[in-house]
Amino acid sequence: ILIIVALSITGVLKPEDALSGFSSEPAILLATIFVLSGALYHTGLSEQLGNLIKRFAGKSLEQMNGVIMPSVALLSAFTHHVTITAIMLPPILRLSKDNDVPASRLLMPMSFAASLGTTIAIIGAPAFLIVDGLLRQSGQSGLGIFSIAPIGLVLSVVGTIFILLL
């Protein structure tokens, strides 16, 4: 926002051009997603999610990843995967420490699941939102929120199975 203000004040951008990005539905949706993700963290909901995952994760590495990966994939379908990774980092590190498992053995699968989860709903990845906007601008019907879910769910399940087998 400071860059936009600076470019507008210095005359590099006209005020209407500087604010044109805020008329974009994907830009507003992404801003909303970051606010909601921050709320999840600050209200303690992410800690509660971590406790829930810990309860079902058991003691084996396979069982921990078998719980972490689908949980994170589903969460990242509805918000940015980097945000979900950041929210889940403290509970996963605590799970790692409590069970004497190297953190990398849980964090890498978690990050893969977060990326795979973005393919479940169009709000999970900005690229899908942009494509939806472009389709609507060209007069075609846009993407439905779960129109990519069949492919995304398969990718997430296959990715989880792949990690569990390795």
Side-chain angles (χ1 to χ4, degrees):
I1 292 175
L2 291 175
I3 291 172
I4 293 171
V5 170
L7 291 173
S8 182
I9 289 173
T10 59
V12 174
L13 288 177
K14 296 176 190 169
E16 57 272 5
D17 291 336
L19 299 175
S20 67
F22 293 109
S23 66
S24 165
E25 190 175 313
I28 299 301
L29 189 56
L30 284 176
T32 304
I33 287 170
F34 282 115
V35 170
L36 289 174
S37 299
L40 286 174
Y41 176 78
H42 290 292
T43 59
L45 190 57
S46 66
E47 187 174 340
Q48 290 176 356
L49 287 171
N51 291 337
L52 186 64
I53 287 172
K54 184 177 179 179
R55 186 177 329 142
F56 291 107
K59 299 285 183 192
S60 74
L61 177 65
E62 293 79 16
Q63 191 174 354
M64 285 184 244
N65 281 326
V67 171
I68 291 168
M69 290 186 71
S71 304
V72 169
L74 287 175
L75 289 171
S76 68
F78 301 102
T79 187
H80 198 274
H81 66 282
V82 174
T83 308
I84 288 299
T85 303
I87 288 171
M88 295 307 294
L89 190 62
I92 300 303
L93 287 174
R94 189 172 55 245
L95 181 66
S96 165
K97 184 178 178 183
D98 291 349
N99 291 298
D100 202 29
V101 172
S104 62
R105 305 291 301 262
L106 298 176
L107 294 176
M108 287 301 293
M110 179 189 71
S111 67
F112 294 145
S115 293
L116 290 170
T118 64
T119 62
I120 296 172
I122 68 166
I123 60 175
F128 293 125
L129 293 173
I130 292 168
V131 168
D132 178 59
L134 291 173
L135 284 170
R136 291 177 194 271
Q137 283 179 354
S138 69
Q140 299 179 32
S141 63
L143 299 172
I145 189 169
F146 293 112
S147 61
I148 60 172
I151 296 167
L153 288 168
V154 169
L155 285 173
S156 295
V157 169
V158 169
T160 299
I161 291 169
F162 180 79
I163 294 295
L164 292 177
L165 292 177
L166 287 179

